[in-house]
Amino acid sequence: MGQLDGKVALVTGAARGIGRAIAEKLASEGADLALCDLQADWLTETAESVQKLGRKALCVAVDVSNWEAVQGAVGEVQKAFARVDILVNNAGITKDTFLARMSVEDWDAVLSVNLKGSFLFTKAVSRPMMKQKSGAIVNIASIIGLIGNAGQCNYAASKAGVIALTKSTAKELASRHIRANAVAPGFIHTKMTDALAEDVKAQMLAAIPLKRMGEPEDVANVVLFLASDASAYMTGQVITVSGGMVM
Ligand code: NAP
């Protein structure tokens, strides 16, 4: 018996990296998956792994920052599965540069995907979850949303916003038995961090007490906990998964 047997989970940014690991982890515990990313064909590999685990996978193309597209995506998921039990707001981007050089477009782009996207999906699933009188929302924030970072003011602000969104959602929806929690990963091995310069990676590693980068599965394990009844008495919390980089 899996911890999520009979549940339907929607994961954004599920084509690769942390989102893919989360989708596979939730499927391994019995959930059927609605996989969302910018293009449906990018989701083929994730869908194949979910199906190999014996679960259903629906691939949905959606830009998380577009309200009409998000409404359409949640409609498609309800049509296919007739419910949504778990939402994982994972899609995220970076456009790093120092504040004085940051274009207004790069500020807007990062806030639109990371923060507005999380709001839009939360808003769209809140109706079916309120009708069901149950649900678990897990938002992927970042330690940068807690401590800030030079060269990432847009990203830091978006992730701090995700944390505030999580706590407000938790307060607003608790009476309907809908929980909202966040995971704040540190330095995780994905395409997002592969793009960093070697000296930046070395500096980051030196600051991690557990002396290794995290793997997507390290984050997925905590998402599973927050999505499952194992965390039934937790809402509005932020769990840091950073090898001790932030304590
Ligand atoms: P990733 O490898 O870049 O994957 C993110 C996925 O989201 C990609 O498939 C991406 O598509 C998709 N995406 C981007 N914009 C989208 C949009 N508008 N609509 C739908 N999907 C979109 O990133 P990751 O490292 O796995 O990160 C996942 C989450 O963890 C993000 O929220 C990130 O901020 C957070 N996080 C990561 C780290 C880390 O060290 N990696 C640390 C802390 C927090 P494309 O292929 O087009 O980009």
Side-chain angles (χ1 to χ4, degrees):
M1 273 250 314
Q3 293 183 65
L4 304 178
D5 283 346
K7 305 263 184 191
V8 173
L10 189 163
V11 180
T12 69
R16 56 184 166 88
I18 295 171
R20 180 175 172 173
I22 292 169
E24 291 170 354
K25 180 62 66 179
L26 301 185
S28 75
E29 285 295 330
D32 288 328
L33 262 297
L35 305 167
C36 298
D37 212 296
L38 282 167
Q39 290 191 26
D41 56 338
W42 297 349
L43 290 158
T44 309
E45 285 179 21
T46 314
E48 281 171 4
S49 340
V50 167
Q51 285 156 353
K52 271 192 197 138
L53 290 159
R55 306 317 318 165
K56 289 183 194 145
L58 173 74
C59 299
V60 186
V62 56
D63 175 351
V64 300
S65 63
N66 179 313
W67 177 227
E68 282 71 35
V70 170
Q71 281 178 294
V74 172
E76 234 181 282
V77 175
Q78 278 188 275
K79 205 169 154 200
F81 295 117
R83 57 187 300 116
V84 188
D85 300 289
I86 296 159
L87 166 67
V88 183
N89 280 312
N90 164 80
I93 59 169
T94 51
K95 288 191 183 288
D96 300 349
T97 192
F98 294 113
L99 188 142
R101 283 193 218 143
M102 186 173 289
S103 68
V104 174
E105 288 74 22
D106 283 356
W107 170 271
D108 285 344
V110 170
L111 269 288
S112 289
V113 176
N114 299 6
L115 180 54
K116 184 180 168 195
S118 301
F119 160 65
L120 294 181
F121 259 101
T122 302
K123 177 176 163 67
V125 303
S126 66
R127 269 173 190 258
M129 284 185 175
M130 283 197 279
K131 274 198 191 146
Q132 289 164 202
K133 295 195 177 58
S134 70
I137 297 168
V138 184
N139 292 327
I140 307 303
S142 166
I143 56 165
I144 303 305
L146 295 167
I147 62 173
N149 197 21
Q152 288 199 304
C153 71
N154 50 359
Y155 185 77
S158 74
K159 294 300 188 177
V162 165
I163 290 169
L165 170 69
T166 305
K167 293 181 182 183
S168 302
T169 306
K171 287 188 175 176
E172 215 170 295
L173 300 182
S175 63
R176 312 293 184 104
H177 307 288
I178 299 165
R179 300 182 298 108
N181 291 288
V183 178
F187 188 36
I188 311 296
H189 191 208
T190 68
K191 199 172 162 193
M192 190 179 266
T193 45
D194 283 350
L196 295 170
E198 287 307 317
D199 59 327
V200 176
K201 285 189 198 171
Q203 263 176 23
M204 296 265 219
L205 268 178
I208 301 173
L210 288 178
K211 291 293 166 223
R212 69 167 175 91
M213 285 178 78
E215 293 301 324
E217 198 181 359
D218 292 314
V219 179
N221 284 330
V222 179
V223 172
L224 167 63
F225 169 66
L226 291 173
S228 75
D229 288 343
S231 61
Y233 197 52
M234 290 175 67
T235 196
Q237 304 305 305
V238 183
I239 303 184
T240 296
V241 181
S242 69
M245 198 174 180
V246 169
M247 296 189 183

